[in-house]
Amino acid sequence: MTLRLFNTLTGQMDELVPSDGETLRMYACGPTIYDYGHIGNFRTFLQVDVLRRALKLTGTKVRHVMNITDVDDKIIRNSTAAGIPIGEYTARYEKAFFEDLEALRVERPEIISRATEHIPQMVELIQRLAAAGAAYQAEDGSWYFRLAAFPEYGKLSKKDLSGMEDGARVDVDEYEKDSARDFALWKAAKPGETSWDTPIGRGRPGWHIECSTMAMEYLGESFDLHAGGEDLIFPHHENEIAQSESVTHKTFARHWMHVRFLLVDGKKMSKSEGNFYTLRDLLLKGYKASAIRLALISVPYRHQLNFTFDGLIEATSAIERLRTFKQRLTEGSFAAGESPAMQEAAKKAQAEYLSALSNDLNTAEARAPIFDLLRAGNTAIDQGELKAGDRDAILAVLASFDAVFDVIEDRDAEITRHALEYAEQSGRLGDVAPELLAAQGLTDEAVEALVAERTQAKKQRNFARADQIRNELAEKGVVIEDSKDGARWKRK
Ligand SMILES: [Zn+2]
């Protein structure tokens, strides 16, 4: 089965296949590590995670490179304000970034490359650009890309740049969205700023050159796919193409995937609107990492996601249903054999699931058949009609679902505990939801002990004590569910 994915460069759905017939070589722009990541950033990383997992599920190997921008205007400004070297400043946010990715179960790319560790390669690319007549040095020692040297500029963003001013320059990493200018490849050192002594002078790289350099370093001059948020199409990705193709005269990336922005409560996320959330903010409010993952991936990547707390609650209950269903299947005992209806239902769900994923990663459509199967399976169990062979077939479908969605295995309590440690260390305990603090007062062992005591109390017909324990646990956010197989508990 082949994945079809919208390609920003061609403006159409293209088949995504490795050009070497084996391993899909992909590059995705990583974070600038100057602060904690917000949910808009994570939506992009999660959708790229969905892509790589879907590729692997359909039998394609991936070689995925992600850069870490550990030097740029904002980092220099913030580390100077904090009075610490940039390396010390960025180390803290890099660590936080990977903790957040792990909490969201984003698979680690095969290669993670830091900008500051590839300065010689960037300098070499700038030298090649200069030799090709596509780069020049300005009076202050900075190097610029000469847009006039690349007539195809604008082919990715489809912007009409005919009115662009020859020789007009811009030296900030991000510039206005509607004007094209010669952009900085290398910024001459300013007093007090971090800089490197190199054959093209003392200075530091611009943002765009790092992605061209590191993509080609690890994937070759021409590779299969480049991904990022839609805000990077122009100018960042347009500039990457210009820098790379001006020296190689080869197609830089054949396929470009861009993830759409999200809205929060129907509005653009911003600190001034009060709807700006980091992952950590949401964990401290008591939302589970798995629910945040599901909410951020359930709307297909090319659609605008409107992120709401209702959406998180919906995701929480969807995950709960999946987990309970899997538990019923694995813990129940079923008669040997198969029922034709359930076998057919499992086969249909699997086929529809894969077909939706391979159609431009339609995660919303991919979810639907899994929940149809869940309903049919629960009914069959209730009616005593589910056979052991059906259970195995359904578990295989759930495994395939979780190979991409990865929300069924429950690691939420541990992640929440880490978030609370962070709150404690960074003086944010005041932001923690009270019921979360109460629940964390009880370790899993303590809950187990209370649940066992309650079971014992019920056996001895001491219902007052049994109820008292149930209420105590409920106050601390722990719910007990009685079933014929005994009592189970979970944290709300
Ligand atoms: Zn980039």
Side-chain angles (χ1 to χ4, degrees):
M1 197 191 60
T2 308
L3 188 64
R4 289 169 60 77
L5 197 70
F6 184 80
N7 183 350
T8 311
L9 185 61
T10 61
Q12 62 183 28
M13 296 275 283
D14 287 334
E15 286 195 348
L16 183 60
V17 284
S19 50
D20 68 0
E22 197 184 340
T23 305
L24 193 109
R25 286 167 298 143
M26 58 183 271
Y27 185 92
C29 292
T32 301
I33 39 173
Y34 70 100
D35 205 344
Y36 294 106
H38 59 69
I39 54 173
N41 304 136
F42 289 118
R43 182 186 192 210
T44 300
F45 295 119
L46 279 162
Q47 295 286 358
V48 172
D49 187 56
V50 167
L51 169 72
R52 55 170 284 139
R53 286 166 176 265
L55 283 165
K56 286 174 20 178
L57 185 68
T58 54
T60 303
K61 284 191 223 154
V62 293
R63 178 173 167 85
H64 171 188
V65 179
M66 179 177 75
N67 66 301
I68 300 278
T69 300
D70 57 354
V71 57
D72 91 325
D73 299 341
K74 288 191 281 281
I75 290 171
I76 290 177
R77 189 188 61 212
N78 291 9
S79 62
T80 306
I84 53 175
I86 65 164
E88 196 178 312
Y89 182 82
T90 55
R92 172 168 154 204
Y93 292 108
E94 184 182 310
K95 181 167 172 276
F97 174 70
F98 284 111
E99 283 168 3
D100 289 352
L101 286 193
E102 210 174 300
L104 290 170
R105 302 191 195 182
V106 174
E107 288 186 347
R108 231 177 147 90
E110 281 66 31
I111 294 159
I112 289 160
S113 61
R114 293 186 191 88
T116 56
E117 292 169 2
H118 295 78
I119 303 286
Q121 293 94 322
M122 293 182 211
V123 168
E124 196 197 314
L125 182 56
I126 296 168
Q127 288 173 317
R128 286 174 73 192
L129 283 166
Y136 62 92
Q137 193 168 26
E139 310 73 49
D140 71 341
S142 296
W143 287 84
Y144 288 86
F145 183 86
R146 188 191 308 280
L147 278 198
F150 191 67
E152 289 176 85
Y153 193 78
K155 69 178 174 180
L156 179 71
S157 58
K158 321 281 187 265
K159 280 182 185 286
D160 176 14
L161 301 165
S162 51
M164 70 193 188
E165 212 182 320
D166 189 23
R169 293 200 296 256
V170 57
D171 69 351
V172 289
D173 290 329
E174 291 174 87
Y175 55 88
E176 313 93 86
K177 294 289 169 192
D178 288 311
S179 70
R181 308 266 180 90
D182 288 2
F183 56 90
L185 298 164
W186 184 260
K187 303 179 188 197
K190 291 193 189 122
E193 277 189 7
T194 303
S195 59
W196 285 261
D197 216 355
T198 76
I200 58 169
R202 194 166 181 86
R204 63 182 170 97
W207 170 38
H208 314 297
I209 196 74
E210 51 166 286
C211 285
S212 288
T213 303
M214 297 195 282
M216 292 197 281
E217 169 90 3
Y218 296 105
L219 300 173
E221 292 183 342
S222 186
F223 54 94
D224 297 312
L225 175 120
H226 196 311
E230 65 168 343
D231 54 321
L232 300 186
I233 298 175
F234 184 87
H236 183 54
H237 288 164
E238 203 73 76
N239 291 356
E240 283 189 43
I241 291 175
Q243 294 163 149
S244 311
E245 298 187 1
S246 291
V247 295
T248 65
H249 305 290
K250 292 177 190 159
T251 302
F252 178 52
R254 292 186 297 118
H255 205 120
W256 288 80
M257 172 194 182
H258 290 104
V259 180
R260 249 191 117 176
F261 259 12
L262 58 69
L263 298 177
V264 178
D265 288 328
K267 291 186 195 127
K268 195 169 176 226
M269 186 167 63
S270 78
K271 285 187 176 158
S272 57
E273 284 282 350
N275 64 351
F276 182 96
Y277 300 109
T278 64
L279 172 66
R280 287 154 195 250
D281 293 337
L282 296 179
L283 292 173
L284 297 186
K285 282 177 181 293
Y287 296 100
K288 292 175 176 177
S290 59
I292 300 167
R293 175 177 171 95
L294 188 63
L296 288 174
I297 65 178
S298 286
V299 170
Y301 77 97
R302 276 209 297 146
H303 292 244
Q304 194 152 49
L305 160 68
N306 183 22
F307 186 88
T308 62
F309 291 109
D310 283 345
L312 276 183
I313 292 164
E314 187 277 329
T316 308
S317 85
I319 292 169
E320 216 46 68
R321 288 172 65 204
L322 286 164
R323 289 176 179 171
T324 308
F325 181 48
K326 187 173 175 191
Q327 199 173 15
R328 285 190 88 185
L329 290 169
T330 48
E331 291 176 6
S333 49
F334 304 100
E338 295 177 348
S339 71
M342 278 322 297
Q343 291 293 321
E344 189 49 41
K347 212 177 280 172
K348 182 165 171 277
Q350 177 72 6
E352 287 177 3
Y353 166 70
L354 289 177
S355 149
L357 273 185
S358 61
N359 177 23
D360 207 19
L361 301 174
N362 194 326
T363 44
E365 274 182 22
R367 256 180 74 155
I370 303 300
F371 283 88
D372 290 343
L373 182 64
L374 177 148
R375 275 186 290 274
N378 272 329
T379 307
I381 298 174
D382 292 342
Q383 295 174 348
E385 285 167 5
L386 198 100
K387 304 279 173 48
D390 304 332
R391 172 197 57 203
D392 297 343
I394 297 172
L395 284 173
V397 177
L398 288 183
S400 160
F401 170 78
D402 228 27
V404 175
F405 282 74
D406 202 3
V407 292
I408 299 181
E409 193 203 329
D410 189 352
R411 276 182 269 149
D412 288 316
E414 182 194 328
I415 293 159
T416 301
R417 265 200 298 280
H418 283 153
L420 284 169
E421 279 165 27
Y422 150 77
E424 211 168 321
Q425 285 157 13
S426 51
R428 292 197 60 188
L429 278 176
D431 297 332
V432 180
E435 61 274 18
L436 196 62
L437 282 177
Q440 292 294 322
L442 279 179
T443 61
D444 287 1
E445 294 73 31
V447 177
E448 295 283 359
L450 282 169
V451 171
E453 188 192 334
R454 175 173 167 275
T455 306
Q456 196 57 33
K458 275 172 71 182
K459 262 189 207 147
Q460 294 161 347
R461 308 194 64 77
N462 182 356
F463 296 113
R465 176 61 186 150
D467 286 346
Q468 191 188 14
I469 293 174
R470 170 188 281 279
N471 294 339
E472 251 179 60
L473 287 172
E475 271 170 31
K476 295 188 169 165
V478 175
V479 193
I480 301 186
E481 282 168 357
D482 290 309
S483 74
K484 62 180 186 348
D485 313 318
R488 289 200 292 258
W489 63 272
K490 62 185 183 193
R491 295 190 195 267
K492 254 194 301 204

